[in-house]
Amino acid sequence: MTGIQSKRRFIVIALLCVALGGALLRQLSEPGSTARDVGTLLMLLWLPIIGNVIAWLIAKVRRPVAAEPVGFEAGSTFHPHALVELTLRASQLPSEDSLVLEGEHRCALVVDNEGFSARWIVAPGQAFRRGTAQTLQVEFLKPAIALPRFQRDAAFRMLVAESFVGDGRVLELLGHD
């Protein structure tokens, strides 16, 4: 639970307790007394809470379903757009310090604060250790958008899941569209 969520929960609980106290005060007071009127006012504190709950439910109902993430089609042919020098960061844990094996690897390449979906391939029979610079071909999911940001000598970071795992730079752009 985030800090804001816990503060909101505390406020809701506090206002409901005040409203319950107001109901109790109203019940125990004489009709027409000031204490009964104060109890009535305290009971009205639950109204904003109910309004917020109803607004939250309406927003939940109206919220569109998240679209499937767009990515490379399974089994699609690899068409490289750039030749890059990539250095994957060495793992801090010896148990996770393993070779990068052959096959397709997907990631986001980040320039400044913009990320672009990409994939790269380690050739069959090849593998390399993290921390060593490798020259690899990269294919972008949307090359028309990505390539203007990945000109020769452009520096980038590699993002996989929620972690930056490597750094690199563009060596050259390849002639594929």
Side-chain angles (χ1 to χ4, degrees):
M1 179 180 307
T2 66
I4 291 174
Q5 289 173 331
S6 63
K7 289 176 186 174
R8 285 181 181 166
R9 178 179 282 178
F10 173 76
I11 290 169
V12 166
I13 292 170
L15 288 176
L16 286 175
C17 288
V18 170
L20 287 174
L24 184 63
L25 180 63
R26 189 174 192 285
Q27 186 68 28
L28 298 176
S29 301
E30 294 291 323
S33 69
T34 304
R36 187 173 177 96
D37 292 341
V38 169
T40 302
L41 288 174
L42 291 175
M43 283 178 48
L44 293 176
L45 288 176
W46 71 272
L47 288 175
I49 296 169
I50 297 301
N52 285 332
V53 169
I54 291 170
W56 176 79
L57 287 172
I58 290 171
K60 252 330 196 189
V61 169
R62 288 186 181 171
R63 188 171 297 145
V65 176
E68 281 290 317
V70 178
F72 294 97
E73 292 181 24
S76 62
T77 307
F78 182 77
H79 299 287
H81 297 113
L83 186 66
V84 301
E85 180 183 75
L86 178 65
T87 304
L88 294 177
R89 296 176 184 164
S91 175
Q92 299 296 325
L93 301 172
S95 63
E96 293 180 5
D97 188 23
S98 60
L99 290 174
V100 177
L101 301 175
E102 65 182 53
E104 178 182 301
H105 301 272
R106 295 180 183 202
C107 63
L109 299 182
V110 180
V111 174
D112 294 327
N113 63 348
E114 295 179 283
F116 303 92
S117 295
R119 66 180 175 174
W120 48 281
I121 294 180
V122 176
Q126 301 288 320
F128 64 90
R129 187 154 305 280
R130 297 173 185 278
T132 60
Q134 298 294 314
T135 301
L136 300 164
Q137 294 178 335
V138 172
E139 178 183 14
F140 292 102
L141 181 62
K142 303 212 180 242
I145 298 171
L147 289 176
R149 300 286 290 152
F150 286 89
Q151 296 301 310
R152 185 177 181 86
D153 292 325
F156 61 85
R157 294 176 292 162
M158 178 187 285
L159 180 68
V160 174
E162 295 178 2
S163 301
F164 286 105
V165 297
D167 302 288
R169 69 181 178 90
V170 178
L171 299 176
E172 70 178 282
L173 297 179
L174 303 175
H176 298 286
D177 288 319

